[in-house]
Amino acid sequence: MIGRMRIYWLLAMLFLLVGCVEKTGYYDAGQQQVIDNLTKNKGWERTHHMTSYDGRECDVYELWIFKSDATGSRKFVWTYEDGEVNENMSYFRWAFTIPNFSIIYMDSGLYWDIEKLTSDQLHVYETYDDPITVPGQEYREYKEYESLPLSAK
């Protein structure tokens, strides 16, 4: 009886020790490269012209910052033709939704389907719903951003 107990104990210890193999990292090299390109010491900016909801023409400046701790911020500045300037800053949490890290979900209700991500360019399709589970959405806007060193603004 004691012999069986020792065998069970040895098997249990062997099982536990095998399960404690050191892991080389949480992300593989490709995933880490995507995270670094998105977050490392930069923000993403773009400027475009639009007609606001009240019919006025304006230039819009956007600045998005993604941090490696899965938090972020976005700043919008609207400059109207009459000189009026409105600014809005908000904060969000973000996560990749699929293992190849090509779709970002932001808890502000946006998804970004990444078309191109380098250290200085970010091209996305923005949607309100997951582009994988809800294809053919009415709102799907293509946006191109350029990197901005965080110390610049």
Side-chain angles (χ1 to χ4, degrees):
M1 178 83 157
I2 293 179
R4 279 190 182 174
M5 294 287 281
R6 285 184 182 169
I7 291 174
Y8 290 137
W9 184 82
L10 284 172
L11 287 174
M13 294 307 294
L14 181 62
F15 178 75
L16 288 173
L17 290 174
V18 169
C20 292
V21 175
E22 183 177 339
K23 195 172 180 181
T24 58
Y26 183 76
Y27 302 111
D28 67 34
Q31 292 170 329
Q32 189 61 53
Q33 182 66 41
V34 171
I35 292 169
D36 290 347
N37 281 344
L38 185 66
T39 65
K40 216 163 208 175
N41 302 319
K42 69 179 71 127
W44 296 100
E45 68 177 352
R46 81 178 188 129
T47 303
H48 59 97
H49 186 81
M50 67 174 276
T51 303
S52 66
Y53 68 92
D54 61 359
R56 297 188 299 163
E57 298 290 317
C58 64
D59 292 317
V60 181
Y61 172 78
E62 298 178 34
L63 175 62
W64 294 75
I65 297 173
F66 293 85
K67 296 182 181 177
S68 60
D69 67 355
T71 63
S73 63
R74 64 181 182 182
K75 178 181 181 178
F76 287 85
V77 178
W78 296 269
T79 304
Y80 295 92
E81 290 180 334
D82 64 4
E84 179 185 347
V85 177
N86 290 327
E87 188 173 311
N88 182 320
M89 181 79 154
S90 60
Y91 301 91
F92 58 89
R93 297 196 55 78
W94 65 274
F96 293 108
T97 64
I98 57 177
N100 72 0
F101 287 13
S102 65
I103 297 177
I104 300 171
Y105 169 71
M106 291 163 271
D107 67 0
S108 58
L110 294 177
Y111 288 84
W112 278 6
D113 186 354
I114 300 171
E115 289 295 307
K116 180 178 185 179
L117 175 59
T118 66
S119 61
D120 59 352
Q121 294 182 348
L122 173 61
H123 301 182
V124 300
Y125 282 99
E126 182 177 276
T127 61
Y128 294 135
D129 294 304
D130 186 338
I132 292 178
T133 61
V134 186
Q137 298 177 49
E138 187 174 317
Y139 174 73
R140 185 172 190 258
E141 185 176 347
Y142 182 73
K143 298 181 175 191
E144 293 184 1
Y145 295 89
E146 294 183 5
S147 67
L148 174 74
L150 287 180
S151 60
K153 289 205 180 197

